[in-house]
Amino acid sequence: MPPNLSTEDGKHRIWDQLATMPAARLADEGLHFLLASISEMIGTNHAYWLSAVCLEHLSPERDYMLGWRPGPVFFYGEQPEDRSLHAHYTREVMAGTYEVDESTLNHIRRAGRFRGTLMRDHVSESFFDSPHYQAFYRDKQITDTLFVVAPSGCDAESYYCFQRMRDQPPYESADLNLAMEILRPLGWFHRKLLLAHGLLIAENPLTPSEKKVLHWLLTNLTEKEIAEKLELKPDTTHKHVMNIYRKFNVSSRAALMALWLGHAC
């Protein structure tokens, strides 16, 4: 359970509890504790952690997302449609069939620096009439969203998103400032989360060629089709696939997809 967060030292007790928690429990219990604690402090009961990784560094002409792709997600106060909507979004982004929305693009443009924003300060008025806003916010009765994003190196980021629903009032700037104050000193924690989900590899990281193969491995393309798309020999592609499985400690494509799509709490 979160600590009593009504006092000024609430954020210090969050840091202290995370610092004393065994490493093996951080990715589940620790993340749940962190999301629950911040949610209580800023007055919401729905939040999620979303990982993002840069699989390739591409020009805007080739990829408007500049190689960035969504990774595993972890929900606090999960709603029935949360997981299926995220899985659908991830598959379409990986396949290149998703029309990237303004909010995602604005986040990508600021990649590489610690940052926070409220939804109303992050997008234009037209975003609130977009199909993306309809599916991901209005249909789910989400009335406001607060984002804090923490980079870990140049190729991975942690998104902490807190959402108010139904008749809850909009966030105030003080809510954003508090969330940022809590999350900014936790660089070690953000990195451990990404390591626990296989997105940062402490030893033998993915090579540039393996990152390209991984990108397409997370779609419906066969190994033969991946080889053709990347202009590689089939046996070279297969070696890359086997190396990717080994580095992520999985033995199949299904296991890799399960890892990538994350889990709920």
Side-chain angles (χ1 to χ4, degrees):
M1 292 293 291
N4 181 351
L5 299 173
S6 61
T7 60
E8 180 63 25
D9 68 348
K11 60 178 177 289
H12 297 101
R13 285 186 282 139
I14 293 174
W15 298 335
D16 290 344
Q17 183 152 336
L18 289 176
T20 58
M21 190 173 292
R25 291 162 50 191
L26 287 175
D28 294 303
E29 185 178 334
L31 183 52
H32 181 273
F33 168 78
L34 178 61
L35 293 176
S37 297
I38 296 176
S39 293
E40 183 174 323
M41 293 183 80
I42 64 175
T44 188
N45 54 17
H46 184 265
Y48 64 93
W49 168 80
L50 174 65
S51 56
V53 294
C54 191
L55 297 179
E56 299 180 70
H57 291 283
L58 301 174
S59 66
E61 292 76 19
R62 294 181 58 199
D63 180 1
Y64 287 109
M65 294 186 69
L66 298 178
W68 285 92
R69 296 294 183 268
V73 66
F74 185 107
F75 293 101
Y76 167 72
E78 182 174 351
Q79 302 297 305
E81 65 274 27
D82 283 343
R83 187 147 307 280
S84 60
L85 194 60
H86 171 71
H88 176 74
Y89 166 77
T90 299
R91 290 191 178 97
E92 288 211 342
V93 168
M94 288 294 184
T97 57
Y98 179 77
E99 185 175 349
V100 184
D101 63 282
E102 181 187 357
S103 176
T104 299
L105 286 175
N106 288 341
H107 279 304
I108 290 169
R109 292 185 181 114
R110 300 179 67 194
R113 50 184 161 165
F114 183 88
R115 57 202 187 271
T117 186
L118 300 177
M119 177 65 87
R120 63 178 176 269
D121 299 324
H122 178 60
V123 296
S124 65
E125 285 295 325
S126 61
F127 174 77
F128 297 98
D129 295 321
S130 67
H132 181 90
Y133 184 80
Q134 175 75 38
F136 284 83
Y137 297 92
R138 186 179 294 120
D139 287 353
K140 296 169 65 178
Q141 300 185 61
I142 293 169
T143 57
D144 202 5
T145 301
L146 181 161
F147 303 96
V148 180
V149 189
S152 293
C154 60
D155 291 331
E157 296 194 322
S158 286
Y159 285 70
Y160 296 87
C161 308
F162 301 88
Q163 298 181 316
R164 285 186 171 172
M165 305 182 71
R166 300 179 180 88
D167 58 351
Q168 289 185 296
Y171 286 115
E172 298 180 1
S173 58
D175 299 313
L176 174 62
N177 291 337
L178 179 56
M180 293 179 71
E181 288 174 7
I182 294 170
L183 289 164
R184 183 150 205 165
L186 292 175
W188 65 271
F189 180 78
H190 310 317
R191 181 171 178 80
K192 283 186 179 292
L193 285 180
L194 294 165
L195 282 167
H197 287 85
L199 302 180
L200 288 180
I201 304 172
E203 298 179 3
N204 301 317
L206 296 181
T207 67
S209 294
E210 288 167 354
K211 286 186 177 182
K212 292 179 181 180
V213 171
L214 173 61
H215 178 179
W216 295 109
L217 196 60
L218 294 167
T219 69
N220 293 325
L221 294 186
T222 65
E223 280 192 28
K224 181 180 178 182
E225 290 170 333
I226 294 172
E228 292 173 351
K229 182 170 286 290
L230 296 177
E231 299 181 350
L232 297 173
K233 294 180 179 179
D235 60 335
T236 300
T237 301
H238 185 68
K239 287 179 182 178
H240 287 324
V241 170
M242 292 298 102
N243 285 337
I244 290 167
Y245 290 168
R246 176 176 55 80
K247 290 179 179 181
F248 283 111
N249 196 29
V250 298
S251 57
S252 68
R253 195 170 190 172
L256 181 69
M257 285 298 297
L259 171 71
W260 207 263
L261 293 177
H263 53 87
C265 186

